[in-house]
Amino acid sequence: MKIQFEELNIASDSSFKVMLNPRMNDFFFWHFHPEFELVYIEGVNGNRHVGEHISRYQGSDLVFIGSNIPHLNFDYGVKEEYEKIVIHLRPDFLGESFVAIPELASVFQLFEKAQLGIGFGKETTRKISERLKKIYYLPHFEQFLEVLSIFQLLASATDIELLHAKPVENQYTKKDQERLKRLYRFMDENYQRKIEIDEVAELSHLSNAAFCRYFKKMTRLTFTEFLNHYRVNQAKKLLLMDKNVTESCFECGFESLSYFNRTFKKVTGENPLTFKKRYLNRG
């Protein structure tokens, strides 16, 4: 299973970011980031995969995820219409004052528990849902106050589920994260051409054999498998921009149409044309 370090772009003058209906349902995105994440999804049944925890949610889900915990996008594979709100908070949200303010003690404890991953029950989810739907449209300072108010309510919730018995430890050291970011950036800039193992091994300051072992350990995929997954995701974007299958194939670095079709089906479970028609029919 590949994992990606996600670099979130929170404005320099803000401690958090609110996202309304980010659509990722056609893309497998197993990832992590230093920021805390509160995610709410409504209107569908789907999979909740946070760290080592895997379960199904029915109708809606509300989860608070701690810093650097690997997780899958909650809308992956969803075919129906749905609503989704995500709030990302800097790892130093409120800074040192967080600990010192008595009124925020329970919120601070909630953030500590977030390293286990926290799922909330139907009653709390119902109370929070309408407020989360409206928060995106508030001016920024009012958003900040509402974020604090929402987390105060979550901190007092009794219908919670801790997703792990002990804090989730991300296996990726800072050195690994920087190395993987460098590799992803290289892939993003060069996936349209043939990439040799020699190039990425040199970029990682490893021999070819050592790089192959390292990459498989980090992503659970060979480099070729990972690159194929990446190219298929890029091809999806082109297909959804109404490019034809042949254009999408060669613009994403595949050198053979038949190999592209086989790889696309292996990764997604359907061929490129079926994927494109299904998406367009939904529209």
Side-chain angles (χ1 to χ4, degrees), residues 52-68:
E52 296 179 0
H53 171 94
I54 303 175
S55 61
R56 290 280 292 173
Y57 62 83
Q58 303 289 325
S60 64
D61 203 20
L62 178 65
V63 177
F64 188 34
I65 303 169
S67 179
N68 285 320

Side-chain angles (χ1 to χ4, degrees), residues 133-273:
K133 291 176 190 177
K134 295 174 183 176
I135 196 171
Y136 181 80
Y137 301 101
L138 296 175
H140 188 68
F141 185 71
E142 281 76 5
Q143 275 188 341
F144 173 71
L145 295 178
E146 184 68 349
V147 165
L148 282 182
S149 179
I150 285 172
F151 276 106
Q152 180 64 44
L153 195 155
L154 293 177
S156 63
T158 56
D159 56 339
I160 69 170
E161 174 191 6
L162 300 180
L163 306 185
H164 298 86
K166 59 182 181 179
V168 178
E169 294 183 5
N170 193 315
Q171 64 174 307
Y172 300 94
T173 64
K174 185 173 180 61
K175 181 179 178 181
D176 287 327
Q177 292 179 24
E178 290 302 320
R179 181 180 274 167
L180 288 171
K181 281 172 65 177
R182 195 160 59 245
L183 287 167
Y184 296 149
R185 193 177 302 118
F186 177 84
M187 218 175 310
D188 187 55
E189 293 171 354
N190 296 278
Y191 70 90
Q192 293 174 304
R193 66 170 178 85
K194 186 174 182 179
I195 297 176
E196 302 287 354
I197 290 291
D198 295 19
E199 295 179 84
V200 286
E202 183 178 352
L203 186 66
S204 303
H205 306 294
L206 296 169
S207 68
N208 286 12
F211 170 79
C212 290
R213 289 194 299 271
Y214 171 81
F215 198 85
K216 183 70 179 284
K217 177 186 175 184
M218 289 292 105
T219 67
R220 304 294 190 268
L221 294 170
T222 67
F223 179 74
T224 299
E225 289 170 335
F226 187 96
L227 182 59
N228 281 342
H229 276 73
Y230 189 90
R231 284 171 168 161
V232 164
N233 274 342
Q234 297 302 315
K236 283 181 177 181
K237 295 176 185 177
L238 294 177
L239 290 166
L240 300 184
M241 291 167 58
D242 210 23
K243 295 268 188 177
N244 64 42
V245 173
T246 301
E247 288 174 320
S248 301
C249 164
F250 293 111
E251 286 186 31
C252 289
F254 288 97
E255 297 180 326
S256 159
L257 188 57
S258 60
Y259 181 66
F260 170 64
N261 284 322
R262 287 198 309 274
T263 303
F264 194 101
K265 187 168 185 178
K266 182 178 180 181
V267 172
T268 68
E270 59 188 348
N271 64 48
L273 191 57

